[in-house]
Amino acid sequence: MSESPKKLYIKTYGCQMNVYDSEKMADILGPHRYELTDDPTSSDMVILNTCHIREKATEKVYSEIGRYQSLKKERTAEGRQFILAVAGCVGQAEGGEIIKRAPYVDIVLGPQAYHKLPEMIERATRAFHINQMDKKKGKEYRKDKIVYADFPVESKFDHIPAVSDNPRVSAFLTIQEGCDKFCTFCCVPYTRGAEYSRPVGDIVAEAKRYVALGAKEITLLGQNVNAYHGISQSGQGVWGLGPLCLELSNIEGLERLRYMTSHPKDMDDALIQAHGDSPKLMPFLHLPVQSGSDAILKLMNRKHTVAFYEEVIQKLRHVRPDIGFSSDFIVGFPGETEKDFEDTLSLVERVQYGQAYCFSYSRRPGTPAAGIETQVDEEIKKERLQRLQTLIHAQQESFNQSFLGKSIPVLFERQGKRADQYLGKSPHMQSVHILSNGDNIMGQVHEIKVIEAFDNSLKGELQ
Ligand code: SAH
Ligand code: SF4
Ligand code: F3S
């Protein structure tokens, strides 16, 4: 076998947790002599880290898998191994089905199994060599496929290298996985499994390592991040997200803290108060409500009412008056009437979001809502989606306009196309671009004055 490092290409779909997982998969494979590349055609292994949340997302994965069929054929003809792995939520949901549909896939693994990758690669490599030898002897090509879509007993977090040495100004840190909420439209409880919280000590240690590597901002991740309930550092008792945020706020050098995605029902008073007590907790919260109709929220099994949601928003605004919000909305959930939809529009009018993501309801096999008979017509869904998006768009624009002329602190994360252009984020998650005065401001927080506001970004100048 060649001693030179092998090339690994990872394509990530879906949510931030997949971004974090992709990084960890690269970390795990580093010691096995896999180096990341941006070019799939020259790679020795491709991992597609997939998302199952909507039908379109899943179909995208299948068309992407198809693109590697000819590469695989070419390589096999040359006697070289090329491994195609499907990881993530489609891997979990579809398991062996993927190999039935696309037999040239070698490995399928769910999001809880990525620490098993080296073992799976070893098996795939062994199978490849045996197949090659058999082929020379004129024997039929055997398929040896590896599928790992169980939920392993041990936690993947105990098996992954502690931290990537890849410096990041803004780092993701998964603190919680899985979901026990079972919203009737959602596949996540089935793809990510039951809720699990990492111990406080492990999170603090990982956060400190990111900061030592230069991170100024950490975003705590979880499918249901504010359901967090991890064992405390002393081993006595369990902490919620509020105390965890306060603890992490003590890390010197860390300037900004965020968390996502939260469920309204789990916004407890300690977490709300943390927004008042820690200036490091940024004043922008993604708090998905999905619908503004109590009847639909009930059918969705969201476990809260519209009034409860607005009360949470009000409490947050009380402790942190400058806080802004974003949300996810689903339009055309089975049974949604025009009146239900108008209730969603009214809620949006009352809250005034800084940003929001609107989705047309997509039937996910195996979820309770997929079986409801009163599915909404596609045309109606499309029309409602457009109306909601128009409203959200207008709010986003006026939210950004309200910053015009103001001075805001921006964390600069990237250099733009021009060498003197820098891109960063405001406390309210707005993308900000500026032209620097020649100094390198990467990784720093600077006060800037907003000189132009667009629907998706702000233009500023250094103060
Ligand atoms: N855990 C988060 C969100 C996870 S999925 C929460 O509880 O809010 C991200 C978003 O995808 C959801 O908020 C929802 O708006 C959307 N989504 C999930 N399932 C969907 C489906 N079947 N059809 C359309 N949108 C869906
Ligand atoms: Fe899905 Fe609901 Fe869990 Fe969010 S809270 S991941 S929408 S089941
Ligand atoms: Fe998609 Fe799985 Fe995230 S379904 S949204 S990648 S948890």
Side-chain angles (χ1 to χ4, degrees), residues 179 181-183 185-186 188-189 223-224 263 290 302:
C179 183
K181 292 280 189 300
F182 291 93
C183 300
F185 52 82
C186 184
V188 169
Q223 264 86 26
N224 210 178
H263 192 290
Q290 316 295 355
R302 286 291 289 183

Side-chain angles (χ1 to χ4, degrees), residues 143-332:
K143 294 192 192 87
D144 188 354
K145 303 297 177 182
I146 298 120
V147 177
Y148 205 111
D150 295 339
F151 292 110
V153 198
E154 78 279 18
S155 159
K156 65 179 177 187
F157 293 109
D158 297 337
H159 290 80
I160 54 179
V163 75
S164 136
D165 53 9
N166 205 353
R168 283 246 152 77
V169 175
S170 178
F172 287 144
L173 201 173
T174 296
I175 65 166
Q176 180 276 341
E177 275 241 23
C179 183
D180 294 344
K181 292 280 189 300
F182 291 93
C183 300
T184 54
F185 52 82
C186 184
C187 66
V188 169
Y190 313 97
T191 60
R192 291 273 172 172
E195 215 178 276
Y196 166 80
S197 295
R198 296 176 68 190
V200 172
D202 291 6
I203 295 166
V204 172
E206 190 167 331
K208 283 185 174 162
R209 282 192 297 264
Y210 284 128
V211 173
L213 280 166
K216 297 284 162 46
E217 173 177 273
I218 289 180
T219 303
L220 307 175
L221 300 179
Q223 264 86 26
N224 210 178
V225 72
N226 57 343
Y228 177 80
H229 56 281
I231 293 173
S232 72
Q233 274 162 304
S234 67
Q236 311 268 307
V238 162
W239 282 20
L241 186 57
L244 179 69
C245 285
L246 293 180
E247 181 70 22
L248 293 171
S249 296
N250 291 329
I251 298 176
E252 216 168 299
L254 178 69
E255 300 194 25
R256 295 180 166 192
L257 195 57
R258 304 181 191 271
Y259 58 89
M260 70 185 299
T261 296
S262 298
H263 192 290
K265 191 163 178 281
D266 293 322
M267 288 305 303
D268 63 26
D269 288 343
L271 180 56
I272 292 172
Q273 192 49 47
H275 281 270
D277 295 343
S278 167
K280 289 187 184 178
L281 257 180
M282 288 294 101
F284 197 76
L285 186 65
H286 184 56
L287 196 60
V289 66
Q290 316 295 355
S291 167
S293 151
D294 280 341
I296 295 298
L297 287 179
K298 196 154 198 273
L299 284 173
M300 286 177 164
N301 189 31
R302 286 291 289 183
K303 302 179 170 80
H304 64 82
T305 59
V306 175
F308 179 86
Y309 178 79
E310 291 190 81
E311 201 180 306
V312 169
I313 296 237
Q314 197 197 350
K315 283 183 184 170
L316 282 158
R317 283 190 166 140
H318 179 73
V319 297
R320 185 81 206 234
D322 63 341
I323 197 165
F325 295 94
S326 65
S327 176
D328 293 339
F329 293 94
I330 295 180
V331 303

